[in-house]
Amino acid sequence: MNSQQGTIVEKNVIKQAGGISSSVNQTELKRKLLTANKSQQMASFFGRMYTMVAAGLLIVVVLSITYFIASKGLSTFFVDKVSFTEFLSGTKWDPEDDPASYGALSFILGSFFVTALAAIIAAPLGIGAAIFMTEIYPKFGKKVLKPVIELLVGIPSVVYGYIGLTVLVPFIRDRFEVLGFSLLAGGIVLAIMILPTITSVATDAIEAVPQDIRNASLALGATRWQTIWNVVLHSSRPGLLTAIVLGMARAFGEALAVQMVIGNTLKLPGSLLDPISTLTSGITLNMGNTIQGTPYNNALWSMALLLLLMSFAFIAIIRILGRKKLVHK
């Protein structure tokens, strides 16, 4: 009995000592965790400073670009005394005439026409490709179509323009017996360029629709296509609209590819087969032939200001659609 009692007492002593040691270790660990580490404090400080400087620099760059373009563009109206109404609604563009004419309506309408045509062509194709990749054959879509679409994004715009110049323009010329350089050619080239953007964003929007909604629709007796048309597309509508607006934003600011196939004339187009001119093509073709600070140069900067304002408008639309998407969820 004495030996057994000694063994029990010894175990109790060891257990108590282990408990005390564990308590001491926990207290020491808490003290180390709660004690400020100078290296961690320095890393956190420099991390916050780096992010603040990066964000501040981004804001400064955006404001500087906006101020620079606005100061140049507004000089047309406040320094050169060109009528704002004439600039937006006039159809005669001849800054070197006496008196000079600064009607930019043909450039403005040309940009809107070619952007709208590109969106009309690319939106159904992009959304259809997104449905195929996510709802019809998702494995094939992710393995084959998605890499192909990513490759299309990386192709330079000059390549699209050159293909349009050597293939599309001669085809339109021979098919319809016209010049070939036309609104139709520019719309098709831009549609191909913005197709990857619309497809990628639309794919993400459709994939974000919960699977339970699809299952509920199928359980109620709806067919696969009825589920896609009435449930999936309806639920992802804000994201699909965002995809279209993003594509239009890129199309509106494209210069080189469009410039190579639209003909660059100052007349308003009477049909899809007529040549046109856009804000971007007008700026790129004429900016190098003007002198800094002249009314002609300032008028081109006013066209650039219109492009910037349209970019802001597209961004605002995307933000509004994004908020509607969050509310919809």
Side-chain angles (χ1 to χ4, degrees), residues 257-269:
V258 179
Q259 176 185 327
M260 297 173 69
V261 297
I262 60 174
N264 303 299
T265 61
L266 299 178
K267 295 181 180 180
L268 292 175

Side-chain angles (χ1 to χ4, degrees), residues 176-195:
F176 300 100
E177 296 182 356
V178 293
L179 183 61
F181 297 95
S182 59
L183 170 61
L184 179 61
I188 294 175
V189 170
L190 274 184
I192 298 173
M193 293 183 64
I194 67 176
L195 183 61

